[in-house]
Each structure stands twice: as C-alpha cells, then as structure tokens.
Amino acid sequence: MGVKLASERPGFSEMEDVNFTDSELVYHVRDALRSVTLGDSNSYNELIGVIHHTEYLTPDEVALLVTSLKALSGAVSCIDIAHHDSLLSSIFRMSMWSYGPDVMDALVELIISLAASSGKYIDSCLDMLVSNFMPPHYFLALLKQPRGLARKDQVLHRVHSALRDIADLVPLAPLRLLPIILQKMPNVYSKEPMIVIYVENMLRLESGAMGELVGSMILCAVVDRLIDLDVEIEWEDILQDDFSKGIFEMELEDVEETLDDDEQEGDELPRESSSWRRFRGNVVAEKLDSLLVLMFEHLRSCNDVGRLSNVFETLLQSFKQTVMKAHKSKFSQFVMFYACSLDPGNCGVRFADILADIFTGSVSPPDVRMSAVAYLASYLSRAKFLPASFVVNILQRLVGWCWKYTESQDGDINPDAHRVFYSGCQAIMYVLCFRMRSIMDVHRMKSQLFLMPVEALLKHPLSPLKVCLPSIVEEFLRQAKAAHLFTVSETFVFNDLLESEHSRAFGGKERLDMFFPFDPCLLRKSDRYIRPNFVYWSMVRTTYDDDDEEGSSDEDVVDGFMGRSVENIAGDAMAASFEEHDLDLDEFDYSMNKMSITPKNSSNFRFGSELYGSAMRMPSRIRPSTSPESL
Amino acid sequence: MEGLKVSDAKLVVYVHPSKATKVSQAILRELSSLLFKFSEILDGVVLAYDVSTLSEVAKILPGVHPYFGVRLQAKLLLFHPKADMLLEGKVVKLGQQSIHVIVLGFSSAIIIEEDIREEFKYKVKRGEEVFDSASHKRHKIKVGTTLRFLVKSFDEEILHISGSLVPAHTGSVRWLDKNREDWLHADRSSKKRKKSAEREQMWEHNKPIIDASTLSMNTDQSNKKSKKRRRNEDS
C-alpha cells in the first residue's frame, strides 16, 4: 500500500529504486510550490496528501513523509502564506505524538525553518509546538503505559529543544510565546491528564533556558489555575457544620469516622483519614491535588539547583495578588508552605516577615491585613521547621503593634471598629496555644515572652478576650494559667462554643475570625509532601500537659512545666519533641484511633492534647486530684 | 551601520494618582513598555531612552480618575531599517538555503539562497558549514561571522528583516574592512557607479556608528519632535 503518485514526476515515484540528493528533492518541492501560482496544483496536492496521511503508516510511507518534510524545510522561502494556505494548515495541525522519532525530527526541522524564515509564521509555529504539549485524546490512555511514556519523552524533548532553537534564531520569540502559552492553557473543566501534562510543560519552560524571560508569568499563571480549581471546591465538601466542636477538636473528627468505616469495610482498606475518603470522588479536588504535587516537585528541583529564592519572590508576588485576594483559599497556599519548608532560613523567614509587614503596615485595607495575620498565625503554628525563637520575635512585633494600638484608643469593646486589632490579638493567642510550651521551656524565650505586655493587652477595656473566638480564648487562658503567664479574675464561661456573636461581628462578612488557612491539608497526594513539616494539634505539648507518657503521677502535672528542665529539649524545642513522635503513617493513624476511647463531650479534654500517648488511661484531671491546681 | 537614529521627543505621560508618591518609577515603567516594539508615531523601534522632566508642575485631568500629566523631554534611540540600507549582524545559523543573522541582539534577519550572490559557494568543511567566496580566498562566512548585508524588507510586527548579499560591498565585515580595494573596484566596474560612490560616502560617514552603545548622533536625520499621549494604568 502506498500513496498514489503521478508517474511523470520522477522525484516522487518508485522511491526504492531512485536515489536523489537532498538538493534535488528540495528543487522538486520548490517546483511544486511555484506551480501552484501558475495554476498547476497536482504535485502540490500530492504533497498535502502525504502529510495528511497519519494512520498505520508503512515504513515506505514513513520514509516518504520524512523526505517530504525535509525537502519542505529547504523550500520554506517559496512558501507563500496565501497560495499555500492548505499546506500550511496541514503542517500546523500535525501532532508529533502520532509519529515515530524520524518524522518528529523532520517535522521539527521544518517548523524551525518556517519560524526563522519570516515573521508571518512565527505565531503559528509557536502555536503548533505548544499544541504538542498535549497528546491527542486517543493517546491519553496510553500515557500510563511504558510505551506511552517513552513516546511522551521523545515528543516533549523535541518540542522544548525546538522552542529553544527558535528563540536562538528569533530573539523576540519568547515574547510571542508567552501569550500563546497562557491562552492555550486548559481550563478547569478539562480532563485531569491534559491539565497535568500542560502544566508540567509550563514548569519545564520555567526551569529551562527561556526561564528568565517567561518564568515569572508562567508561575503566576499556574498559581492562578490552582486558585481557579480551589474556588470550585465547595466548603460543604470539607466541613461538617458542627460548630459545637472546638476548633482543635476538629482534627480529631477523622478518628471517630475511621473507626466506624473500618468496621464496615474490613481490613483490606488502608487506614486513610475519612476526610480523604470524602474527596475521593471529587474530580476538581483531584486535579488540584495533582497540580499541587507538580508544583511541589518543581520547587524541590529548583531548590536542588539553588534557584529557589528567585522563584520564591515570584511566588510571593503571586501569593499577594492572587491567593490572598481569593476568598478563603483552601489548599493553594500550601505551595508557599512547601517552598518555605524547603528553605526555612531564607524563604521561611521571609514569608512570615512579609505577612507581618502587611499586618503592621497601614497601606493595605483592613480585610487584607486581617487575612494576612490569619495566614501568619496559622503558618507560625503549623510550620515545624520554624524555630521557636523566630516565632517569639514575630510575636513581639504583633504584640508591639497591638499594644501601640491600645495606647491610642480609649474606647470600649467594639468588634467592628477594631477588627484589625482583634484579629491581631486572636493571632497572638492562637500561636501561643501551639507554641507556649516550647517557648516556656527555654529560659531566654520565656523571659522574652514575659516581658511582652500580653496580660495588659488582653485585659485592656477593648476586651479582646470577649471578642475573639471562644475556643481559642479558652485554650489560651488555660495554657497561660498553667504557665503562670497570667490569670484572669473573672471566669469566662463559653459553654463549648466555637464562635460567639462578638467573634462573628469582628470576623465580618468573610468570617475572617474563623480563617485558619494552614489547617491540615485534606488533599491526599499533596499531604504527603506537607506532613513531615506539619504540626498537628495532637502533637502539641501544652503547658498543662502531662509530660511523661509512661505512668506519671499527679504531682508531675504541676512539676511538668516548672520543674522540668530542658532535659531533652534542644534549642529548637518543637523539633526535638517531635522526634519521638515521628512515626510512620500507619502507626500514627493507629495511635490516633486510640484517642476515640476518651469521652468526646467533656469540656475538659476538648483539645485532646493530653490524649496522645496516654490514651489508654484516664487523664489525671478526672481523678481526684491532689495537685495544687485543684486547691 | 544604518538604520539607527537618536530622536528628541517631547512626551506627556499620564500617571495614575496611586503612583503619586513614586512618579519616576511610574514614568520609567511606562517608557519601558515601549521598548523593542515598533512605534508608528516615533517611526522606529525604541531601543533605549534617556528621559528628564520638563516641569515640576503637572496638569490634572478632569474626570473620574484624576490622572496627572507629567511633561517629559526624552532622547530616544530608534531603529528603523529601510530597504537598501546596510546593516550588520552576527551569523547564528548557516544552511544551503539560508543564512540566519541576528542584528543588535534582538532582531532576526534571514538571507535566502536566491539573495546570496554567485560568488559564495556553500561547503561543509570539517563538519562546519561555511560559505566560501570563489573569487576571494579569504572571504568566508560561517557561524559567528559579523555580516554586513543589504535590507530588502522589514517586518514591523515581529522585527524580522529580510536581507540580501547580492551587492559587492556586502559580506563578512572583517574581510570587507581589510580589503576595501577589492570590492570598491568590483563596484566601480558595474553600471551603478553613481549609487556606489554615494554609498561609499555614506559608508565613510556612518563608520563611527558601528557600536550602538555609543549614542552618536547621525546628523543627516533631523531632530524629531513629537508629542505623545499615553496613559499609565494602575496595575
């Protein structure tokens, strides 16, 4: 089977018998092209026929195609955009995924020649190459097989080197390339493999030779797409509207549900968190998950070659412009978290500084400042890689700003007017819930904390303790009391409330009072990247905690924080205490399951802190206590 | 090298009120958006600018957004190659059918086979592609050579030049500079004597402007004064 050829034209017939030089072939093609303008389109149409033929090519046909493409490369100067319109559109519609490496090479050579020959073809050539980022639909299933992956490698390698070659010949090509890439980016409704492979190519360009020219716009576009997917996920999919539970308790949700499901489904299923299960069917979440993983891998490779700080600046810009402005972004912000975890000393510190700057500065509108401090509080609490000393310094800035604010106010409680202030106070309390213990355990930091006017701040007539989220205030007061930071004379009765009328008022329409952006990531694949650097509430040792996991007596509760020296707590208190808790996934889940034994509704253990490790016995609080606290 | 000129321009840049504290930044940003694009009004591709404010006082526009107009005096380096001008660039790719050149580091130029004079033969020597001159042994063109060529056409949108090596005074700059006798002689013997004599004068005159970074003024071109209105949008 072969393509029917006009027998008068010696150049194309009986390919096996005749040996033509390359230049002769080029001249034949030029003739064919020129004849079109004179009215004779026979050989021209044959040429198009050769190119159109895509399926089940025999080796002869492949050879013919390769030869034709190579000959065309030499004849680009004779191609006219008007007369040879159908030939050009056939060429630009070719998908490299449908052919073997020989044809790919010849096609790429043709595209590069076309692009360099005249400004008229540049956009179409770049467009064609960008279209080849993605395989045709029929190929998607093959992508999972080794054969498909091999083809993918061949295609993408050639596409990217073609883009580089064109940029070498036409220096302004990257400028034209950028809008094409952005415009052809698949939208949120496209199939997952398509979006994933396209973004993979975008990130490859970012780290490639053209990275300097197109990189930052590409990263911003990817983050934009992450947010687009993010906002498609409904909050209802994530939260159960059970606001009777405390914030800190929500992380324990997973526990009870896992237990129930296990009973039904037997032991075959791995012990996943139930929140992951909730997302299994959610297509949008899975797309977001895959893209986040791509970003994480990309950031990791950037870090390996030492260019993370430059990339981070772009990410910061994008974060301020896109992520922060999105209404309560759910998971996209973990890109920042992961980047910070890769380079805590540099990026990690910078992120916190920028957020603190936004909050304490007067340039941004109130909602942005509240959002910034919410990000900051969640970040400082959850980032395992941030040393407690750094956290204390940031806290000092926050306390300083809040304190200065009170000095200029002599009014009373007013959730709406002072909402920026209240969000600052809530942030301080939230961070201290997580970090107080580790701060107290180091003498220098403890004195630093004691020197801050926290007590005066919280007892000011503006009454942050009444306005901020009750569950946070309650936990904070408990720890503050145990740490002897300060005590309040009046008892705050919260009745297990998560939120109050006042907190709603200061939170405003967007409910920024209940915004904890770095709460555990519920996307399965991404979470594996985040988990090693993440602080779960269950891991946190509080100031009222029982230090010893093996049977400790009640007296230890008091001695626990005061007498306990810095035995096994190194400079970075947090990290050290987690070494012992650094279990692998299965063990961790298993021990979380153990917590389900303890009563859920008792207000005394709502934050679950004392449960970890000592779940098998009743915590000391319930036993008739002889500790000084109860007196 | 021809095609470069320095123009004086009077411009007005309208700045958004949010940039009132960083006016210079706003102006520079607006002017930077002109770079490497062909401007009809300025008649050329803006390569560089040197700007100073004309007045400390700026008029505020009436309307919803009170933009204020800052008046500027700018020196602009413009590039506008026209047909029959001589340009120089570096050869980046060589093939039997074409030579690819890059001019001033940003503009791509192509010289196709038909526009390369008979004198040059395509050869592959020791794996390297080269155009050898049949009449002058030392005259070679290969990747990295600085080439002088004639402009045939200029695509203003993509800044792509179509060039020609047909005239005798085109080719490798290094060889042409050393062997002026040879190609001047070849030219005089052709019919276009007058034109080549003119060209020789222009060549003499333009010699200092090979290095684009030295903003030497081409006194043939008159100073251009243009008034331009632009808006600086809040980003």
Side-chain angles (χ1 to χ4, degrees):
Chain A
M1 201 170 90
V3 177
K4 186 75 180 72
L5 300 162
S7 46
E8 312 87 74
R9 294 244 165 224
F12 291 108
S13 66
E14 293 160 3
M15 289 298 295
E16 314 90 28
D17 298 350
V18 184
N19 253 337
F20 285 100
T21 65
D22 285 343
S23 31
E24 281 171 321
L25 288 164
V26 169
Y27 286 125
H28 283 304
V29 168
R30 287 186 180 205
D31 269 344
L33 292 171
R34 287 200 194 103
S35 316
V36 174
T37 54
L38 301 170
D40 174 17
S41 314
N42 281 338
S43 9
Y44 173 69
N45 288 334
E46 279 164 14
L47 199 52
I48 299 183
V50 169
I51 290 175
H52 262 303
H53 199 151
T54 55
E55 299 193 348
Y56 310 119
L57 294 173
T58 66
D60 279 350
E61 288 165 328
V62 170
L64 183 57
L65 182 55
V66 171
T67 325
S68 309
L69 290 172
K70 282 197 176 145
L72 272 169
S73 307
V76 286
S77 52
C78 298
I79 297 181
D80 176 68
I81 200 164
H83 288 117
H84 303 126
D85 173 55
S86 35
L87 175 65
L88 285 170
S89 42
S90 308
I91 294 172
F92 292 135
R93 269 205 302 267
M94 287 177 83
S95 169
M96 286 164 63
W97 296 79
S98 311
Y99 303 105
D102 292 332
V103 178
M104 286 188 213
D105 284 332
L107 180 55
V108 154
E109 205 188 305
L110 173 57
I111 294 289
I112 297 175
S113 302
L114 269 173
S117 71
S118 162
K120 292 179 283 203
Y121 306 122
I122 286 237
D123 284 341
S124 312
C125 291
L126 294 175
D127 194 283
M128 181 265 184
L129 288 171
V130 173
S131 301
N132 272 278
F133 278 176
M134 297 179 289
H137 282 274
Y138 73 82
F139 201 89
L140 282 178
L142 282 170
L143 268 182
K144 297 177 197 139
Q145 300 169 17
R147 190 165 58 99
L149 283 175
R151 178 64 59 87
K152 173 183 164 188
D153 263 340
Q154 288 168 345
V155 173
L156 295 183
H157 169 75
R158 283 166 175 81
V159 165
H160 284 272
S161 71
L163 287 170
R164 272 197 302 275
D165 288 342
I166 293 180
D168 284 340
L169 294 173
V170 185
L172 291 177
L175 197 66
R176 317 284 295 196
L177 179 60
L178 195 53
I180 293 174
I181 293 179
L182 299 180
Q183 191 247 328
K184 288 182 92 83
M185 200 172 168
N187 62 26
V188 298
Y189 306 109
S190 319
K191 294 208 184 107
E192 187 186 328
M194 287 297 200
I195 302 187
V196 169
I197 203 172
Y198 195 90
V199 170
E200 200 185 308
N201 276 291
M202 284 173 80
L203 294 175
R204 191 164 162 172
L205 274 176
E206 195 276 331
S207 47
M210 276 190 262
E212 272 177 26
L213 300 167
V214 300
S216 40
M217 290 293 296
I218 282 182
L219 283 174
C220 293
V222 175
V223 173
D224 285 348
R225 190 56 89 238
L226 291 176
I227 287 287
D228 288 342
L229 287 166
D230 203 303
V231 302
E232 291 281 319
I233 302 175
E234 301 290 325
W235 268 115
E236 289 75 56
D237 293 339
I238 304 172
L239 284 180
Q240 289 177 335
D241 284 346
D242 190 357
F243 288 121
S244 62
K245 297 187 192 170
I247 305 173
F248 300 104
E249 197 179 50
M250 279 187 187
E251 284 174 49
L252 300 179
E253 263 180 4
D254 305 343
V255 172
E256 285 93 39
E257 297 197 17
T258 317
L259 213 56
D260 290 337
D261 287 332
D262 277 348
E263 283 164 5
Q264 289 163 6
E265 294 172 65
D267 289 326
E268 291 91 30
L269 285 177
R271 289 173 185 267
E272 316 180 307
S273 154
S274 65
S275 41
W276 293 341
R277 232 183 282 259
R278 215 175 287 138
F279 268 129
R280 215 187 264 157
N282 191 325
V283 171
V284 181
E286 289 191 10
K287 285 180 200 171
L288 181 57
D289 201 8
S290 305
L291 287 187
L292 276 174
V293 168
L294 270 183
M295 275 297 271
F296 292 162
E297 284 295 333
H298 181 76
L299 290 174
R300 192 193 285 187
S301 61
C302 286
N303 189 39
D304 288 341
V305 296
R307 40 185 295 261
L308 185 62
S309 3
N310 295 341
V311 172
F312 192 74
E313 287 306 310
T314 311
L315 286 179
L316 264 180
Q317 276 293 102
S318 178
F319 176 80
K320 283 194 279 190
Q321 279 171 350
T322 309
V323 180
M324 270 187 77
K325 291 189 179 158
H327 171 55
K328 291 199 176 182
S329 163
K330 295 166 204 77
F331 310 116
S332 312
Q333 60 273 19
F334 278 101
V335 172
M336 303 305 292
F337 191 95
Y338 187 71
C340 292
S341 73
L342 288 171
D343 186 6
N346 204 351
C347 302
V349 162
R350 183 143 167 75
F351 187 49
D353 281 339
I354 292 285
L355 289 171
D357 287 342
I358 296 176
F359 173 71
T360 55
S362 50
V363 177
S364 313
D367 279 352
V368 172
R369 292 169 73 186
M370 287 170 73
S371 174
V373 83
Y375 273 102
L376 182 60
S378 194
Y379 174 60
L380 292 176
S381 312
R382 300 294 190 169
K384 210 196 258 192
F385 48 86
L386 286 179
S389 50
F390 176 70
V391 175
V392 171
N393 290 338
I394 297 282
L395 274 178
Q396 192 141 29
R397 273 184 79 178
L398 293 178
V399 173
W401 184 90
C402 291
W403 182 239
K404 205 160 155 231
Y405 186 87
T406 59
E407 283 174 350
S408 63
Q409 302 290 333
D410 51 353
D412 241 3
I413 182 171
N414 188 338
D416 187 53
H418 307 296
R419 54 192 200 275
V420 178
F421 168 74
Y422 292 124
S423 64
C425 293
Q426 179 166 302
I428 294 167
M429 288 193 276
Y430 187 78
V431 175
L432 283 173
C433 287
F434 279 80
R435 298 277 193 168
M436 201 185 295
R437 179 60 182 271
S438 43
I439 293 174
M440 291 297 174
D441 283 339
V442 176
H443 184 75
R444 182 180 54 82
M445 293 193 280
K446 182 173 171 181
S447 350
Q448 210 177 342
L449 181 60
F450 271 84
L451 282 173
M452 295 188 217
V454 179
E455 176 164 7
L457 178 67
L458 296 175
K459 286 183 176 170
H460 189 271
L462 282 172
S463 313
L465 293 175
K466 287 198 182 120
V467 177
C468 296
L469 272 182
S471 46
I472 294 184
V473 175
E474 188 178 328
E475 174 66 16
F476 169 75
L477 287 178
R478 195 164 164 221
Q479 291 206 36
K481 184 172 173 193
H484 289 213
L485 187 57
F486 70 90
T487 49
V488 278
S489 43
E490 51 175 303
T491 37
F492 283 83
V493 179
F494 290 117
N495 297 324
D496 288 357
L497 277 180
L498 168 62
E499 46 169 329
S500 70
E501 184 197 317
H502 287 312
S503 76
R504 267 194 294 271
F506 99 80
K509 211 164 19 107
E510 306 230 332
R511 296 311 307 277
L512 287 171
D513 56 321
M514 290 216 5
F515 184 36
F516 307 103
F518 291 113
D519 270 356
C521 181
L522 299 174
L523 298 173
R524 187 173 47 91
K525 289 185 277 188
S526 326
D527 189 49
R528 282 190 218 282
Y529 288 81
I530 301 293
R531 193 173 272 258
N533 301 299
F534 196 80
V535 175
Y536 289 88
W537 175 249
S538 53
M539 295 162 146
V540 173
R541 283 171 32 200
T542 60
T543 51
Y544 51 80
D545 202 358
D546 216 348
D547 271 346
D548 237 351
E549 278 146 38
E550 323 310 314
S552 64
S553 63
D554 298 327
E555 288 75 42
D556 283 353
V557 173
V558 174
D559 293 339
F561 57 88
M562 271 171 58
R564 178 100 177 201
S565 62
V566 285
E567 276 172 45
N568 58 349
I569 294 167
D572 182 349
M574 280 302 250
S577 67
F578 295 142
E579 243 98 78
E580 43 196 345
H581 298 173
D582 241 349
L583 313 166
D584 70 311
L585 219 59
D586 285 344
E587 243 192 321
F588 183 75
D589 276 323
Y590 178 60
S591 33
M592 280 189 82
N593 290 344
K594 290 202 288 189
M595 285 188 242
S596 65
I597 295 169
T598 53
K600 189 175 99 169
N601 288 322
S602 165
S603 56
N604 283 336
F605 340 110
R606 272 180 45 221
F607 299 102
S609 53
E610 60 270 75
L611 302 179
Y612 184 80
S614 48
M616 296 315 290
R617 54 186 195 85
M618 297 294 274
S620 48
R621 275 264 175 161
I622 291 185
R623 280 189 235 155
S625 171
T626 54
S627 73
E629 276 186 308
S630 59
L631 298 170
Chain B
M1 182 165 122
E2 299 162 6
L4 285 170
K5 62 183 181 217
V6 176
S7 291
D8 285 321
K10 276 211 177 94
L11 312 168
V12 180
V13 172
Y14 288 92
V15 181
H16 190 273
S18 66
K19 303 278 188 284
T21 48
K22 13 186 183 164
V23 176
S24 318
Q25 196 192 81
I27 292 173
L28 289 175
R29 185 154 170 193
E30 181 61 25
L31 286 174
S32 297
S33 69
L34 288 179
L35 290 175
F36 297 112
K37 291 198 183 77
F38 184 83
S39 165
E40 290 243 343
I41 304 168
L42 298 169
D43 190 36
V45 179
V46 181
L47 296 184
Y49 56 83
D50 185 18
V51 68
S52 56
T53 46
L54 269 179
S55 149
E56 293 287 307
V57 178
K59 245 188 193 165
I60 300 180
L61 279 183
V64 177
H65 296 288
Y67 283 80
F68 54 96
V70 182
R71 293 153 62 80
L72 306 165
Q73 169 88 32
K75 261 190 165 42
L76 302 167
L77 178 64
L78 297 165
F79 179 60
H80 191 181
K82 300 195 174 79
D84 289 338
M85 278 189 181
L86 279 175
L87 291 181
E88 279 152 35
K90 196 153 145 195
V91 176
V92 287
K93 189 176 170 192
L94 210 50
Q96 183 162 14
Q97 280 91 25
S98 58
I99 299 178
H100 297 266
V101 178
I102 296 199
V103 176
L104 291 175
F106 74 92
S107 179
S108 52
I110 189 174
I111 304 164
I112 56 176
E113 201 180 352
E114 287 88 354
D115 293 324
I116 303 174
R117 57 184 185 267
E118 284 298 314
E119 182 191 332
F120 288 107
K121 303 286 177 214
Y122 173 78
K123 288 189 186 121
V124 182
K125 279 188 183 162
R126 276 168 268 157
E128 202 184 10
E129 289 168 296
V130 70
F131 272 90
D132 261 343
S133 166
S135 23
H136 307 283
K137 248 203 325 205
R138 295 269 177 80
H139 197 169
K140 291 188 211 301
I141 300 175
K142 51 186 179 179
V143 173
T145 307
T146 308
L147 197 70
R148 183 175 298 137
F149 60 93
L150 196 77
V151 175
K152 271 174 65 183
S153 66
F154 178 60
D155 180 332
E156 287 164 6
E157 208 187 311
I158 189 70
L159 308 183
H160 185 96
I161 303 170
S162 180
S164 160
L165 282 177
V166 166
H169 53 276
T170 56
S172 160
V173 168
R174 196 195 264 168
W175 185 87
L176 288 170
D177 285 350
K178 282 193 197 150
N179 302 284
R180 294 191 55 214
E181 287 301 312
D182 293 336
W183 56 268
L184 272 182
H185 180 77
D187 240 6
R188 270 203 196 98
S189 60
S190 77
K191 281 183 185 172
K192 300 177 184 171
R193 275 172 66 182
K194 194 177 171 199
K195 212 168 182 185
S196 61
E198 260 178 47
R199 202 160 273 140
E200 191 195 324
Q201 277 176 19
M202 244 169 59
W203 152 245
E204 292 269 355
H205 186 75
N206 288 334
K207 216 169 164 185
I209 316 182
I210 290 174
D211 181 12
S213 60
T214 63
L215 273 183
S216 59
M217 194 118 167
N218 188 340
T219 51
D220 273 354
Q221 315 286 350
S222 54
N223 286 349
K224 205 162 191 171
K225 288 206 196 311
S226 64
K227 197 160 190 178
K228 194 173 69 85
R229 283 173 167 235
R230 286 297 218 110
R231 280 180 176 264
N232 188 349
E233 293 294 328
D234 180 28
S235 59

